[in-house]
Amino acid sequence: MNGRTAFRHTKILPRFSDAFRGVWLAYREEPNLRFQLFAAACAVVAGRAVGLAGWEVAYLSVTITLVLLAEMINTAVERAVDLAADGRRHALAAVAKEVAAGGVLLAAGHAAFAAAFLFLIERSFMTTLYALLNLLQANPVWYGLPLVAVALALGVRGSTH
């Protein structure tokens, strides 16, 4: 590698530390990731409200993970392309960014399908709505306040970038 040493830890704990730092940096710097986490929290609360079956919980979990993973890979691609392009416009850089963003779009489209399937097809919209309202009324501190706090944080953080 041209006489340079690769940035790589040999011990396991620093590797985990780097990974957790990467998750934190993506959360801190990417408004889309913060929104997707908020949407995931809403889906989890809705799932709790309607009492999703085991396979539905697994499906929802995989769907949420897919969206977050796609967004983090998109962020990594954008940063690497920006570094490689060094501020210059290049057609291949644009293609790389657009393809990565397309991956996020596909994952988000799947998430929309999953939400429609789990909350509108498997059970009616009104069933989902009443279950959600009952859960929030019975447990406003455990479910309602955290969602409101996250929504407010999204609004405040989104306006500063």
Side-chain angles (χ1 to χ4, degrees):
M1 292 191 9
N2 300 336
R4 289 186 261 166
T5 305
F7 176 74
R8 184 175 182 156
H9 295 292
T10 57
K11 298 189 186 220
I12 192 77
L13 287 179
R15 289 179 184 182
F16 277 105
S17 176
D18 289 347
F20 285 119
R21 187 171 28 261
V23 171
W24 170 249
L25 288 171
Y27 172 81
R28 192 181 73 197
E29 296 179 10
E30 287 299 319
N32 289 340
L33 184 64
R34 291 193 299 274
F35 173 77
Q36 290 157 350
L37 282 168
F38 173 70
C42 291
V44 168
V45 169
R48 172 80 171 106
V50 300
L52 293 179
W55 72 269
E56 293 172 317
V57 171
Y59 180 50
L60 183 61
S61 299
V62 169
T63 298
I64 289 169
T65 302
L66 177 68
V67 171
L68 299 177
L69 178 64
E71 183 61 45
M72 291 185 68
I73 290 171
N74 180 52
T75 298
V77 167
E78 286 180 350
R79 297 303 188 275
V81 167
D82 288 346
L83 177 65
D86 197 27
R88 297 177 309 242
R89 292 184 181 266
H90 193 281
L92 291 177
V95 169
K97 287 178 147 188
E98 290 167 359
V99 169
V104 175
L105 181 63
L106 288 175
H110 173 76
F113 168 80
F117 178 76
L118 293 172
F119 301 118
L120 303 176
I121 295 172
E122 282 294 301
R123 50 200 55 79
S124 72
F125 171 73
M126 293 309 290
T127 300
T128 298
L129 181 62
Y130 286 135
L132 186 57
L133 291 174
N134 287 335
L135 179 72
L136 293 175
Q137 182 182 15
N139 304 289
V141 173
W142 292 109
Y143 295 104
L145 289 179
L147 291 178
V148 169
V150 170
L152 290 173
L154 281 171
V156 170
R157 292 197 69 122
S159 66
T160 61
H161 290 283

